[in-house]
């Protein structure tokens, strides 16, 4: 028996279009064609479309395809469904975000040489005369963990500028450069890369939450005084994490920040903090810890980062991975994978008991 038709709500730069009675198994190719019909951009040089649902890319044009043949050629060799089995469509319809870029602009950008005076994310070497301490930690996790997955990743990073704090911070307040370094460390964390890759996630922006943001204060008060540590906008369009402590004198513990990031990633699927949400969150926590545990078992460069330390040690999660709490790290090879996984599961269950 065929699945019931669905409703798709497309949004693009403040404009929206509703598609009704759409087959549940519509292909990515056909959905792209409908998006083109709904938003005729009139770009004679070609426009490349990308469709996002709950932070995941469900359809996109090939960069080499132009308007005249994109709708017929995109995904033509493999007409995969836009909404594979297992993806839940809300009763109110699937909210799909449309991103469009001129193919001519893409080709122009691809042909340009990078400007060595600009600091990009993929090559975060600073070009200013700042001290070595401000150099982004592109090699923090080791030589094998210096880049995100090319497709499933955080597209941009956004730290809070100094002016956003409302008052000029004192010398004890970490500079915005340091906040960006921390965001870069988070997205290159092998455990986070593993989660985004396995779940095929794409997050447009990972940002630093402004600790003096009026909206955050209102939400904090509404939540009964409990400190808000992050929020997810439009199911993965943007995720913000509160990096700084309340007194602005430093950053929160790294393991706490990663826990918040995984928490917000779980909101890509489930909005409410119900059993389904915590189950999904727990699974991602296990995936995160298991990745670091596997790197330790490798006993090579892949498992060691800055200062020759295990990536699990740098992430502050040794006690959640090793049964002995990380007190005898050199003996990690003595543990088999079953022991490590069992301890990881016990650690996550204990964490869920505290959080739920």
């Amino acid at each position: 028996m065929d699945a019931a038709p669905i409703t798709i709500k497309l949004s693009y730069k403040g404009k929206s279009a509703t598609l009704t009675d759409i087959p549940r198994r519509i292909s990515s190719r056909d959905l792209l064609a409908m998006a083109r019909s709904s938003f005729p951009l009139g770009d004679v040089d070609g426009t490349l479309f990308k469709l996002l649902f709950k932070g995941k890319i469900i359809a996109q044009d090939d960069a080499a395809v132009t308007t005249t043949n994109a709708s017929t050629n995109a995904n033509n060799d493999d007409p995969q469904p836009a909404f594979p089995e297992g993806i839940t469509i809300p009763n109110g319809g699937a909210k799909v975000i449309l991103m469009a870029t001129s193919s001519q602009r893409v080709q122009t950008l691809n042909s340009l040489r990078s400007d060595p005076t600009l600091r990009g994310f993929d090559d975060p070497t600073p070009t200013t005369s700042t001290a070595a301490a401000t150099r982004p930690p592109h090699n923090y996790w080791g030589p094998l963990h210096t880049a995100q997955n090319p497709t499933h990743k955080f597209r941009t990073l956004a730290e809070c500028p100094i002016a956003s704090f409302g008052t000029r911070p004192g010398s004890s307040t970490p500079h915005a450069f340091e906040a960006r370094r921390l965001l870069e460390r988070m997205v290159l964390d092998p455990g986070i890369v593993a989660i985004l890759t396995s779940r095929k996630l794409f997050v447009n922006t990972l940002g630093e939450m402004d600790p003096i943001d009026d909206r955050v204060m209102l939400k904090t008060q509404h939540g009964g005084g409990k400190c808000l540590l992050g929020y997810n906008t439009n199911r993965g369009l943007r995720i913000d994490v509160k990096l700084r402590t309340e007194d602005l004198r430093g950053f929160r513990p790294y393991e706490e920040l990663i826990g918040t990031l995984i928490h917000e990633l779980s909101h890509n699927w489930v909005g409410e903090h119900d059993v389904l949400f915590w189950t999904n969150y727990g699974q991602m926590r296990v995936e995160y810890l298991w990745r670091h545990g596997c790197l330790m078992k490798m006993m090579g460069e892949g498992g060691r980062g800055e200062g020759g330390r295990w990536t699990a040690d740098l992430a502050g999660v040794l006690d959640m991975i090793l049964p002995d709490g990380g007190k005898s790290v050199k003996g990690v090879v003595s543990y088999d994978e079953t022991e490590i996984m069992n301890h990881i599961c016990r650690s996550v269950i204990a964490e869920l008991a505290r959080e739920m």
Side-chain angles (χ1 to χ4, degrees):
M1 180 177 180
D2 292 338
I6 62 174
T7 298
I8 299 177
K9 300 177 181 179
L10 295 171
S11 63
Y12 173 71
K13 291 187 175 181
K15 300 178 181 179
S16 62
T18 301
L19 308 177
T20 58
D21 295 325
I22 303 301
R24 174 63 175 79
R25 297 184 178 85
I26 185 172
S27 67
S28 298
R29 176 190 58 203
D30 292 341
L31 187 55
L32 275 173
M34 289 185 176
R36 290 184 177 281
S37 300
S38 301
F39 297 96
L41 303 183
D43 186 354
V44 297
D45 294 323
T47 301
L48 303 179
F49 277 31
K50 180 184 294 184
L51 301 179
L52 303 175
F53 176 61
K54 293 184 178 182
K56 282 178 68 172
I57 300 174
I58 60 174
Q60 63 180 336
D61 286 324
D62 188 329
V65 179
T66 60
T67 300
T68 56
N69 56 17
S71 60
T72 57
N73 288 346
N75 298 316
N76 190 46
D77 295 333
D78 182 19
Q80 58 185 355
F83 305 100
E85 294 296 333
I87 292 183
T88 302
I89 305 295
N91 293 333
K95 296 181 179 179
V96 176
I97 298 172
L98 167 64
M99 300 177 67
T101 306
S102 166
S103 59
Q104 183 177 22
R105 178 174 176 78
V106 171
Q107 294 173 3
T108 300
L109 290 175
N110 289 339
S111 66
L112 294 176
R113 296 179 59 187
S114 61
D115 187 342
T117 65
L118 298 178
R119 183 184 68 170
F121 176 67
D122 291 331
D123 182 17
T125 305
T127 57
T128 62
S129 58
T130 55
T134 63
R135 186 175 297 114
H138 60 280
N139 204 33
Y140 182 80
W141 299 107
L144 301 184
H145 310 290
T146 59
Q148 298 188 80
N149 182 286
T151 303
H152 310 299
K153 61 181 180 178
F154 296 91
R155 190 178 70 87
T156 59
L157 303 178
E159 68 276 21
C160 279
I162 293 177
S164 71
F165 292 106
T167 58
R168 188 175 181 82
S171 58
S172 62
T173 302
H175 195 278
F177 290 156
E178 296 299 316
R180 185 174 184 86
R181 289 182 67 202
L182 183 52
L183 290 173
E184 290 171 346
R185 184 187 305 176
M186 292 168 68
V187 302
L188 293 176
D189 186 318
I192 294 299
V193 173
I195 289 175
L196 266 66
T197 301
S198 66
R199 293 170 178 259
K200 299 182 179 180
L201 290 175
F202 176 89
V203 178
N204 189 61
T205 303
L206 175 63
E208 175 191 4
M209 180 193 295
D210 190 334
I212 313 182
D213 190 330
D214 289 338
R215 292 178 303 161
V216 173
M217 294 301 102
L218 289 173
K219 290 182 179 180
T220 302
Q221 294 172 5
H222 181 70
K226 186 176 181 180
C227 181
L228 184 69
L229 300 178
Y231 51 81
N232 183 319
T233 303
N234 207 0
R235 294 186 181 272
L237 181 64
R238 178 180 174 117
I239 289 177
D240 288 89
V241 176
K242 190 173 185 178
L243 302 182
R244 301 173 190 266
T245 56
E246 296 301 323
D247 59 9
L248 305 182
R249 293 181 179 274
F251 295 119
R252 296 177 180 277
Y254 181 79
E255 58 270 25
E256 177 183 309
L257 298 178
I258 286 298
T260 300
L261 177 56
I262 296 175
H263 181 110
E264 298 307 326
L265 284 171
S266 187
H267 279 305
N268 277 22
W269 289 276
V270 188
E272 299 297 326
H273 292 107
D274 55 17
V275 174
L276 180 60
F277 170 86
W278 288 113
T279 299
N280 188 57
Y281 168 78
Q283 290 174 345
M284 287 198 289
R285 283 294 280 167
V286 170
E287 290 176 32
Y288 176 84
L289 297 170
W290 178 243
R291 176 55 176 161
H292 281 289
C294 288
L295 289 175
M296 294 177 69
K297 294 290 289 183
M298 288 173 62
M299 298 298 293
E301 288 186 345
R304 295 186 182 274
E306 188 176 75
R309 296 165 59 191
W310 298 110
T311 62
D313 188 20
L314 294 172
V317 293
L318 270 176
D319 60 332
M320 298 185 72
I321 297 174
L322 295 182
D324 64 0
K327 295 179 181 178
S328 58
V329 181
K330 292 182 179 179
V332 65
V333 292
S334 63
Y335 297 108
D336 60 36
E337 294 182 351
T338 301
E339 287 181 288
I340 293 177
M341 176 56 81
N342 286 340
H343 185 70
I344 286 175
C345 291
R346 287 192 294 267
S347 300
V348 172
I349 290 173
E351 181 181 77
L352 289 173
R354 295 190 300 268
E355 296 289 335
M356 292 179 67

